[in-house]
Amino acid sequence: MAIVGIDLGTTNSLVSVWQEDSCTLIPNNLGEYLTPSVVGVDENGEILVGRTAKERLISHPDRTAASFKRFMGTEEEFFLGGRRFSASDLSSFVLKQLKEDAEAFLKEPVEEAVISVPAYFNDLQRNATKIAGELAGFRVERIVNEPSAAALAYRFGKMEEDQTFLVFDFGGGTLDISIVDAFDNVVEITAVAGDNHLGGDDINKAIAEKFLSVSGLDFGMLTKEEWAALLKASEKLKMELSKSSQAEMETVISGRLYGMQMDSRGLLEASTQIMESIGMPLTRALSDGGYEWKDIDDIILVGGSSKMPLVQNYLQFLSGKKPLSRIDPDVAVAVGVGMYAGIKERMAVVKDMMLTDICPFTLGIEVSQEDREAPSVMSPIIERNSVLPVSRAARYFTANPFQQFCTVVILQGEHRIAKQNLCLGRLEVPVPMGKTEQDREAIDVRYTYDMNGILEIDVTVVSTQEKTSKVIVNPSIRLSEEEIQKRREELQKLKIHPRDQEKNRLLLARGDRVFEENTGDVRKYTGRFMGEFTAALNTQDARKIEKAYIRTNELLNIIENSPKRSVILRLDKYLYDEWRKDS
Ligand code: ADP
Ligand code: MG
């Protein structure tokens, strides 16, 4: 019985099988190799997967979900047509569809699969992927790393050579860069870096924005459907520009037809910022792994967006090497996963190793906000992508002068709101009680995280120098059923009044995203003024809310629209001007 290989992507998924010494891609019922990773529930309660579901994303947003891979291993829930699904549930529908396609193609039952995941996936996310496979009716033979699979696809037939690859995987919403050392039957990932919010979708958006500006239109004039149609036309134009040097697009807005021509140069202009953002993680991967460009034998192109000549030229400019695209970047991972499956069948083994020399997530602590009604927030101590081993400390203060204990809640994740992150544990620290209303105790919290995934927490009460410690082995632990249930209930209680206003909700969501995307001072700033905005919402005073809205929106605009190196400067200037106006 055949074992299939599955590339379960954020945007698209593929299935392949090893047949007679080569890897065959399996088409879906539409005859296509790429199945969009989109799931919907139709009016009769039936599950839709792939292109059909994708078409309904705009028309039936409350019945359709996409990009759920981002939430694998979290408690994020998706409500479709009144039913509740986890990211694993939704992924299982995609996997089930691929299973059926494979069975139709092979004309036999298919029960075993090898599934690939991004190199930076932690145990929790890998486990959630395995569960998705099992829910789809597979026995999941193995979970392999996407960059290892791509490297294996390129190594076929010359396994004896030692090679160092840089795998450049540029998909719909993420950029993943991995450096892979391959020798004999070992594929070892020695460095990973990337950007969780950079991909083809951003290029579509940049083109759409260019379109609006040359057409003299404003984003606010468009309906949701018109914006979606414009994005679609932009994506089409982008893909045409991967084949020819000039292309056209058009779309109807408010009953009028607008058009735009674009050439390669125009595309470069529209996406300059995106190209610039590619440079940083590249440098990071190289320096983290202790490499220079001359140490890299080949660059492997993976993911739909790496098919853009613009991207390829830029990579060649940076590295001085011509990137490989002998295997279509759309299918490179799927081909490799199919090979892993085939190798398994022939009883040979390829060792897929992952060297975790970076901390792929942020570790922090829960702190309450000044406004007690506002939800607690995450204060980062070790930021994601810190090189391991790492040890950092931060000082915090008690909230109440008469408290005798201070609870340190240890969090992992990228969300501004504490509850939205993974809670790894708690530490009760005795503190001396204050004498007056003003007394506050300072505590120093130190996190130390090493290669073995061991997190040590040391808390020192500054006034007494008394130390309390805790060790957490492998922070990617699983939440117990009980904890999940409890959190579910907590979250259900969280529905409050003026937040329901879409505009404010959107701003909250945007603030959360900006917080996630940034680190360091920009993140701190964002945390602070988003906290102030939440506090304004809690006053339920429409005038205060509106004022806070305008300010927060402006601050977010500054962060998103300024060149990275001048963001802090511009934020400071805005706050200074505001302060001058007020005083
Ligand atoms: P993922 O790994 O996230 O599932 P994919 O590797 O399938 O994503 O990449 C999807 C992205 O690739 C989309 O944004 C799509 O617009 C883009 N893409 C696909 N083909 C091309 C092309 N020929 N030129 C430019 N972009 C492309
Ligand atoms: Mg992919």
Side-chain angles (χ1 to χ4, degrees), residues 136-188:
F138 279 120
R139 224 175 10 258
V140 181
E141 270 306 318
R142 205 168 163 190
I143 296 285
V144 300
N145 295 304
E146 288 166 9
S148 308
L152 190 61
Y154 271 94
R155 274 173 69 70
F156 183 62
K158 43 180 171 177
M159 295 282 272
E160 57 290 340
E161 250 174 78
D162 286 4
Q163 285 169 304
T164 301
F165 297 111
L166 183 138
V167 180
F168 183 86
D169 184 349
F170 199 17
T174 56
L175 169 65
D176 301 326
I177 292 160
S178 319
I179 300 182
V180 179
D181 275 340
F183 48 95
D184 301 330
N185 62 339
V186 177
V187 187
E188 184 177 24

Side-chain angles (χ1 to χ4, degrees), residues 7 9-10 12 69 146 169 171 302-303 333:
D7 167 10
T10 312
N12 295 298
K69 183 177 174 180
E146 288 166 9
D169 184 349
V302 176
V333 170

Side-chain angles (χ1 to χ4, degrees), residues 231-386:
L231 283 177
K232 220 169 156 180
S234 302
E235 181 168 38
K236 201 162 142 266
L237 175 92
K238 173 184 79 175
M239 291 189 175
E240 277 169 28
L241 285 175
S242 291
K243 285 188 298 226
S244 46
S245 57
Q246 179 139 355
E248 270 174 79
M249 66 184 275
E250 47 190 30
T251 188
V252 177
I253 291 164
S254 309
R256 232 192 99 184
L257 182 69
Y258 292 87
M260 177 176 81
Q261 274 207 347
M262 193 178 252
D263 58 10
S264 315
R265 204 193 159 78
L267 181 61
L268 175 62
E269 274 164 21
S271 46
T272 303
Q273 233 183 1
I274 296 163
M275 292 302 126
E276 279 172 2
S277 310
I278 289 175
M280 230 239 297
L282 272 174
T283 314
R284 170 113 217 185
L286 289 168
S287 72
D288 279 2
Y291 297 94
E292 290 176 43
W293 277 116
K294 67 168 171 45
D295 305 322
I296 305 293
D297 295 316
D298 274 306
I299 300 171
I300 295 179
L301 294 177
V302 176
S305 302
S306 72
K307 295 205 278 190
M308 297 176 71
L310 192 63
V311 172
Q312 297 179 5
N313 292 341
Y314 187 58
L315 267 174
Q316 186 162 357
F317 164 76
L318 290 175
S319 67
K321 288 176 215 302
K322 192 168 170 51
L324 302 182
S325 55
R326 183 163 50 81
I327 304 176
D328 180 352
D330 271 337
V331 308
V333 170
V335 167
V337 189
M339 288 177 62
Y340 268 109
I343 286 166
K344 156 78 180 57
E345 247 178 334
R346 294 200 318 266
M347 303 317 282
V349 186
V350 172
K351 274 212 191 93
D352 177 12
M353 302 205 304
M354 168 79 192
L355 213 158
T356 30
D357 57 356
I358 58 142
C359 177
F361 35 69
T362 298
L363 294 165
I365 172 176
E366 175 174 324
V367 293
S368 49
Q369 304 197 55
E370 215 150 295
D371 171 3
R372 284 325 197 61
E373 297 295 306
S376 299
V377 294
M378 156 104 161
S379 169
I381 296 181
I382 294 178
E383 303 238 36
R384 65 157 180 263
N385 279 336
S386 300

